[in-house]
Amino acid sequence: MTSKTKTLIKDFKDHLGFSHRERQAQVQACRQLWPEACDRSIRTADQRCEKTFLFQLPWDMEQTQEPVSFSDEIQWDFLFHGDQEFIFQMNRHRYWICLGQAYALTGDEKYAECFVTQLMDWISRVPYGDDKQKTTWRTLEAGLRGDYWIRAMAFFTDSSKVTENVWQTFFEALRVHGEYLYNNPKLGFSRKSNWGVMEYCGLYAIGKVLQNEEFSSRAAKRLCETAVIQVMEDGMQWEQSGMYHNEVLMSYLEVMRLADIYGETVFDHGYQQIVRKMALATMNSQNPAGKQPMMGDSDDTDVRDLVTWAAWSLRDETLKRGGFPVMDFEMIWLYGQEPFQAYKQMTEGEEPELLTVLADSGQIFYRSDWTDNGDWIHFVNGPVGGGHGHYDMLHVDLCLEGEEILTDSGRYTYMDVPLRYQLKAAQAHNVPVIGEKEYGDSVDSWTLSALPAPLGMKAVKRGEFAYFEGSHFGYG
């Protein structure tokens, strides 16, 4: 083993590892507070040990309902039912974090062995190549792997399964990922797309672990650029999808976490305020069940864990009011007992306003109260937002006494099939239409033939009543 590898191992353990005592405290808290989440992580880990792939973690961007099992070698570029999204999700490796959590929860070395076996198998059998840039080596997946591999490895730092050879191979693979992300030629696309934020988050993590200042500095610079370019004044990410808004927010928060661990500041006060505006938009848009509206290409996902993360990262009492009273299952693994106790002691700010107007993204939210059985309405009349946006101007979501009455259908699929177009169309939303006529059309799964302009909206509240109005040029 080279002296450089020894230095990197020690640095990794010092910054990202937890002592045995700390791990046991995390395990005790998880077993006591989140038994269902513990079971989910162990179940996911067991599936991976059996080489079965089913993606049902809360923040899996491409969830699946049908398991895929491999009797021999894992086929990392397996095309399931003709849907490339399966390949993408399979090669993000978020599930290896579950192997780490299961290892901590049970002490069973089979999870460490599975992690090492699959990591080494993937590295040896899925090397970078230009021909893989649309399957296993898209820049988005490379960025996510940079973050997720590091989070997963942090659970196994003291396992005998992680040999010197494994460490060297791990660091070298991270270097390949880092070079790929550092030299990414699609700078214009990455600056404006949610991809870029996730790519640069991964590059920043890789840079810190490899002690590569060029990697981490470029990532920090690009992340500041994307924050200015992508986040509207009202705090929403411009692509008009709650899910991708929240994925972007999550990446900024992860970079803030890593920067704090390594004793540096990536975002000054101004950029932190942008992150805070994003978190407030997430908090104020959640329905009574704490879930994001399924606007554009979004899934039915609880966002209170993300609001909790933002509240701690920013030490913000207002955000704590919209999150959980204690750190959630994922956060305690990332932060440990001391921050867990400190967050619990944080006071909550005053209850947020009942009426929220996000003028730039064209959204209005109004609720009767902030309980889980309150009434809630969401009115949409903003720009389409590009590939992830739907023809949803004048759409309405409605919850009464906590029950969803009117809802958006979300994305469901990205495949270029008739259902994709049906779900993006105005007819699939709670909007006024003229007969069967659509006010816009899609060229393909991602490209719109036109971007009908909204004419604005207005919200007025008088006493217990609220009035919304909006109009658009769609039928002009």
Side-chain angles (χ1 to χ4, degrees), residues 163-269:
T163 63
E164 293 178 0
N165 180 56
V166 171
W167 276 113
Q168 288 186 195
T169 306
F170 172 69
F171 289 136
E172 174 59 21
L174 285 180
R175 185 197 64 77
V176 173
H177 279 75
E179 293 286 353
Y180 178 46
L181 294 166
Y182 183 85
N183 295 310
N184 176 15
K186 299 182 294 183
L187 179 57
F189 173 77
S190 292
R191 275 178 170 155
K192 70 178 182 180
S193 170
N194 64 83
W195 281 38
V197 182
M198 288 180 260
E199 290 164 3
Y200 300 134
C201 173
L203 180 60
Y204 181 80
I206 292 168
K208 301 316 296 179
V209 165
L210 297 185
Q211 299 181 346
N212 187 314
E213 186 63 25
E214 284 188 314
F215 285 177
S216 55
S217 293
R218 175 165 291 186
K221 177 183 177 183
R222 297 285 188 253
L223 285 163
C224 290
E225 292 172 352
T226 56
V228 174
I229 293 170
Q230 295 189 29
V231 183
M232 293 183 278
E233 186 61 29
D234 62 13
M236 285 298 299
Q237 200 262 0
W238 76 275
E239 292 177 85
Q240 295 292 71
S241 161
M243 184 170 77
Y244 288 99
H245 165 89
N246 288 315
E247 288 289 345
V248 166
L249 173 58
M250 201 178 309
S251 292
Y252 288 132
L253 293 174
E254 171 65 351
V255 170
M256 291 175 67
R257 180 184 78 91
L258 290 170
D260 187 58
I261 288 173
Y262 284 91
E264 67 179 33
T265 300
V266 172
F267 306 128
D268 64 19
H269 177 74

